[in-house]
C-alpha cells in the first residue's frame, strides 16, 4: 500500500511540474511591420526628399510633419544613415475614410521614408492595399486617392 502511495504521489508531483504556467504564458511572436514597398531613387538623398515634398504639396496635399531621424540621432550623440519620414495627406480624402471606419485613423496620414544605405537612396511606403487590410475600407474607395499617392511617389523618384 505504501508503494502505491509513493507512485501516486510521484505521478501527481510530476504532473504538477509539467503543467504549463497559466499565469505567465510564453509570449507569442507577432510581426508588427506591415508589408512595405521599397523603391530605389534615381536622385541623391536630399534631392529625393525635396522632390517628394514639392510634388506632394503641388498636388494639394499637406505635409503634416517631416521627421529627420538622422538629426534626432545626432542631437543625442548617435550616428545613423540619412533617414527622413514625410507624413502627408489630404483631409478631404482621409476624413470620409475615417468616418466610415474610425480605426482607419491609425493608418492616416500617409507616411513615406527616404533613407540611404550603402550609397543607395531608398523610398519606402506602405501600399494602399496593405493599409486597408482588416478595415471597412474597400479597394475602390482608395483607387483614385491613396493608391494614386503611390503612383505619385514612384513617378517623382524616377
Amino acid at each position: 500500500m505504501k508503494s502505491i502511495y509513493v507512485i501516486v504521489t510521484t505521478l501527481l508531483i510530476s504532473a504538477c511540474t509539467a503543467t504549463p504556467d497559466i499565469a505567465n504564458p510564453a509570449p507569442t511572436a507577432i510581426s508588427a511591420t506591415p508589408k512595405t514597398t521599397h523603391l530605389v531613387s534615381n536622385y541623391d538623398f536630399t534631392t529625393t526628399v525635396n522632390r517628394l515634398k514639392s510634388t506632394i504639396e503641388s498636388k494639394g496635399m499637406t505635409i503634416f510633419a517631416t521627421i529627420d531621424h538622422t538629426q534626432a540621432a545626432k542631437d543625442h550623440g548617435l550616428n545613423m544613415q540619412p533617414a527622413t519620414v514625410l507624413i502627408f495627406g489630404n483631409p478631404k480624402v482621409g476624413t470620409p475614410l475615417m468616418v466610415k471606419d474610425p480605426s482607419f485613423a491609425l493608418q492616416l496620414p500617409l507616411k513615406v521614408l527616404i533613407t540611404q544605405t550603402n550609397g543607395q537612396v531608398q523610398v519606402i511606403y506602405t501600399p494602399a492595399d496593405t493599409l486597408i487590410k482588416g478595415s471597412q475600407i474597400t479597394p475602390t474607395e482608395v483607387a483614385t486617392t491613396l493608391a494614386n499617392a503611390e503612383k505619385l511617389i514612384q513617378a517623382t523618384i524616377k
Side-chain angles (χ1 to χ4, degrees), residues 6 9 33 72 82 88 91 102 127:
V6 171
T9 304
T33 306
F88 66 98

Side-chain angles (χ1 to χ4, degrees), residues 46-108:
T46 302
T47 302
T48 300
V49 171
N50 291 336
R51 284 178 61 89
L52 284 167
K53 281 182 173 182
S54 66
T55 300
I56 288 167
E57 291 175 331
S58 75
K59 296 298 181 183
M61 291 181 271
T62 301
I63 297 178
F64 298 107
T66 300
I67 302 170
D68 184 341
H69 287 295
T70 309
Q71 186 60 53
K74 282 182 189 175
D75 292 347
H76 292 281
L78 303 168
N79 291 315
M80 69 175 288
Q81 75 279 4
T84 296
V85 175
L86 302 178
I87 301 175
F88 66 98
N90 182 336
K92 288 182 180 179
V93 171
T95 301
L97 299 172
M98 293 182 287
V99 168
K100 180 177 182 180
D101 184 351
S103 67
F104 198 63
L106 291 170
Q107 305 303 325
L108 299 176

